[in-house]
Amino acid sequence: MSDEPPSTLNNMRTQMQRAQEYAQVTENVFTRLKHPERTLEVSLPVLRDDGTEDIFKGYRCQFSGARGPYKGGVRFHPSVSQDEVIALAGLMSSKTALVRLPYGGAKGGVVCNPKELSRDEIKRMTRRYMEGIRRMVGPKMDIPAPDMNTGPREMAWMMDTYSVYEGHTIPEVVTGKPIELGGTPGRIEATGRGVANITEQILNYYSRSPEDSTIAIQGFGNVGSWAGRLLAERGANVVATSDVTGGIYNPKGIDTHEVGELIESGGQIGDYDGDIERISNDELLRLDVDVLIPAAVSHVITADVAEDVRADIIVEAANGPTTPEADDVLAERDIPTVPDILANAGGVIVSYLEWVQNTQEYSWTLEEVNADLERRMTEAFEEMMDAYAEYETPDLRTAAYTLALDRQATAHEQRGLFP
Ligand SMILES: NC(=O)C1=CN([C@@H]2O[C@H](COP(=O)(O)OP(=O)(O)OC[C@H]3O[C@@H](n4cnc5c(N)ncnc54)[C@H](O)[C@@H]3O)[C@@H](O)[C@H]2O)C=CC1
Ligand SMILES: O=C(O)CCC(=O)C(=O)O
């Protein structure tokens, strides 16, 4: 096993490489598709509440714009690095292609621990970040959105900062905004709703259903908590979940709505005092459940963990949770893994619906948004399963990447970017 620190970018390139032999992509185009178009690094001077000033580092990577404006979230997390932001921007380019959105891919982030910053400090940092990247973004150029530790509040501050410089309000420069500022109903739950949809579909594909399934979810933030609540509504038994403070387990089931409310009121899993047994994040990944849903950080399912996984199916709600070495082990062990670029695409799909509403200055109902989301997820799932059968790829990820690569290569060729 290599001593190299895990590189999300190397992992993403290996995943693309594995699809190259099935996709209609020439070597020249493939080389282009593996490299980002540009990455900006910004230094953000932020006044702390005690009167001192700190410099935070931020990034925005635009990976590919061949299929449309760049699109992707912004995360605030200590693990943010240039390598990670580039890789996540690459994942976004494949994700938008796979679910047929008219976008390219981007990602941004600031290296910080928001848990150690006050609301005012986060606000000053967010506004500085938007000032730093504002020449690069725009409603027809690059449209940021939420990711880890960012949400409607941060999107509102980013939208306001951009609009102040432009001299008028431009809601469509970011998505995931509060509803009052042009956000769409359904965006907060969208990624979790997409995960619930895909989990139900993969279970149905194997002639099973949420009602007879137990689920373990690592990470109970925006994505994990909504996936958990919506799967429970579909009849599934969510038996375990976790956050950075550790995990909880009850084979009879966890009250996902109660835990969700605790998290939304600022609590942590470590504070939950229901009828549960405490487990570690590592133990959660090895539970004997029907479906394992990693919904937190990258690289958690390594080859070693994959050897011990007892779930029948994995659905990747997080970006990049499984290493390529782990993919090999899981394929060998016949454990299907629905890849991130499909499983968590509900967020960017509803971001697209928000952007469309903003550009048309019109608004849709929650029912319309949810129906459109479910339809797009279902179609993308069926296309991935058809590609899996047609190309006989070793796993679902390679099938998904084959479709994404083909569509990105076609865009390059049709635009005349290559002879
Ligand atoms: N928010 C969105 O719309 C989308 C998010 N994603 C991905 O989903 C994942 C989760 O994102 P969000 O729910 O938005 O973030 P969040 O910040 O709302 O929640 C993250 C959760 O992960 C937990 N966590 C953090 N570090 C951990 C660790 N080392 N071990 C175990 N748990 C840990 C946190 O305590 C929290 O429960 C990320 O990989 C993100 O890129 C993907 C698509 C869209
Ligand atoms: O909603 C969006 O535009 C992007 C969400 C995102 O960052 C992701 O899917 O990883």
Side-chain angles (χ1 to χ4, degrees):
M1 192 122 308
S2 143
D3 290 334
E4 295 274 310
S7 161
T8 316
L9 184 53
N10 286 346
N11 289 351
M12 192 269 296
R13 287 192 171 133
T14 305
Q15 291 165 351
M16 289 175 84
Q17 193 89 45
R18 289 177 175 186
Q20 192 197 357
E21 67 172 286
Y22 304 95
Q24 308 292 314
V25 186
T26 64
E27 200 55 46
N28 279 351
V29 175
F30 185 66
T31 303
R32 185 70 194 90
L33 294 180
K34 279 194 303 190
H35 290 91
E37 289 176 17
R38 62 191 69 82
T39 308
L40 178 69
E41 178 181 316
V42 287
S43 291
L44 313 173
V46 176
L47 182 68
R48 303 299 298 263
D49 292 343
D50 65 5
T52 60
E53 193 170 87
D54 273 340
I55 306 282
F56 292 86
K57 199 180 277 185
Y59 300 97
R60 183 77 183 167
C61 171
Q62 295 175 338
F63 199 93
S64 168
R67 297 186 63 264
Y70 307 94
K71 187 85 185 85
V74 174
R75 61 168 59 173
F76 292 169
H77 198 268
S79 76
V80 167
S81 66
Q82 188 168 6
D83 174 283
E84 185 186 74
V85 167
I86 294 173
L88 294 171
L91 283 184
M92 284 306 306
S93 308
S94 297
K95 195 180 300 182
T96 53
L98 180 64
V99 297
R100 295 184 182 276
L101 296 179
Y103 285 139
K107 200 81 175 195
V110 178
V111 190
C112 67
N113 185 353
K115 305 272 176 308
E116 292 169 359
L117 300 172
S118 70
R119 176 190 176 278
D120 285 350
E121 289 169 338
I122 296 175
K123 179 160 116 175
R124 289 193 284 270
M125 188 183 74
T126 307
R127 298 191 79 102
R128 275 289 189 184
Y129 175 68
M130 187 46 140
E131 283 172 0
I133 64 166
R134 83 183 167 82
R135 286 187 191 81
M136 199 175 178
V137 300
K140 294 271 165 28
M141 183 101 88
D142 179 356
I143 306 117
D147 192 76
M148 282 179 81
N149 290 317
T150 61
R153 182 183 73 169
E154 286 74 17
M155 294 308 115
W157 292 333
M158 287 179 69
M159 187 276 276
D160 183 70
T161 307
Y162 185 85
S163 297
V164 164
Y165 278 95
E166 295 298 310
H168 60 110
T169 300
I170 305 180
E172 63 270 33
V173 69
V174 296
T175 57
K177 299 176 293 292
I179 306 243
E180 296 72 20
L181 296 178
T184 184
R187 175 61 184 88
I188 287 184
E189 321 86 279
T191 311
R193 185 176 295 280
V195 171
N197 168 303
I198 288 295
T199 305
E200 182 165 6
Q201 291 196 65
I202 190 80
L203 283 166
N204 290 343
Y205 180 83
Y206 289 106
S207 308
R208 298 159 76 156
S209 73
E211 288 89 344
D212 350 290
S213 299
T214 51
I215 316 260
I217 304 177
Q218 183 187 51
F220 213 67
N222 170 275
V223 178
S225 72
W226 279 109
R229 283 178 274 199
L230 294 167
L231 276 163
E233 280 177 19
R234 292 176 196 222
N237 185 13
V238 178
V239 295
T241 192
S242 69
D243 68 5
V244 72
T245 64
I248 53 178
Y249 174 59
N250 181 343
K252 293 201 198 102
I254 284 169
D255 185 336
T256 49
H257 282 89
E258 194 175 270
V259 183
E261 277 163 25
L262 169 77
I263 302 295
E264 273 156 17
S265 64
Q268 295 186 306
I269 293 286
D271 306 327
Y272 185 65
D273 60 3
D275 176 21
I276 47 95
E277 181 190 325
R278 296 216 173 269
I279 56 170
S280 68
N281 267 291
D282 240 33
E283 287 167 326
L284 181 142
L285 297 172
R286 293 167 164 88
L287 285 176
D288 186 4
V289 286
D290 295 298
V291 185
L292 171 63
I293 303 184
V297 286
S298 305
H299 316 131
V300 291
I301 306 183
T302 58
D304 285 347
V305 173
E307 294 284 4
D308 296 345
V309 163
R310 284 189 287 160
D312 297 338
I313 295 171
I314 297 176
V315 176
E316 292 185 334
N319 281 309
T322 311
T323 66
E325 297 77 23
D327 272 339
D328 292 339
V329 175
L330 295 169
E332 180 84 4
R333 296 189 57 215
D334 258 335
I335 300 177
T337 302
V338 184
D340 44 12
I341 59 171
L342 174 64
N344 69 29
V348 70
I349 289 175
V350 175
S351 275
Y352 167 65
L353 301 179
E354 177 175 329
W355 181 75
V356 168
Q357 292 173 74
N358 292 161
T359 53
Q360 296 179 347
E361 299 181 356
Y362 190 71
S363 59
W364 298 355
T365 63
L366 176 62
E367 291 69 30
E368 287 170 318
V369 169
N370 284 345
D372 200 318
L373 164 65
E374 301 265 354
R375 176 182 63 78
R376 288 173 190 269
M377 293 298 294
T378 304
E379 285 174 7
F381 176 82
E382 286 167 357
E383 287 187 331
M384 180 188 72
M385 296 315 291
D386 288 348
Y388 182 53
E390 182 182 340
Y391 301 121
E392 298 181 7
T393 56
D395 52 28
L396 298 177
R397 190 187 315 282
T398 309
Y401 268 99
T402 302
L403 293 175
L405 280 181
D406 271 342
R407 290 170 192 168
Q408 292 182 81
T410 302
H412 273 79
E413 276 155 21
Q414 289 177 341
R415 290 177 72 136
L417 296 173
F418 282 92

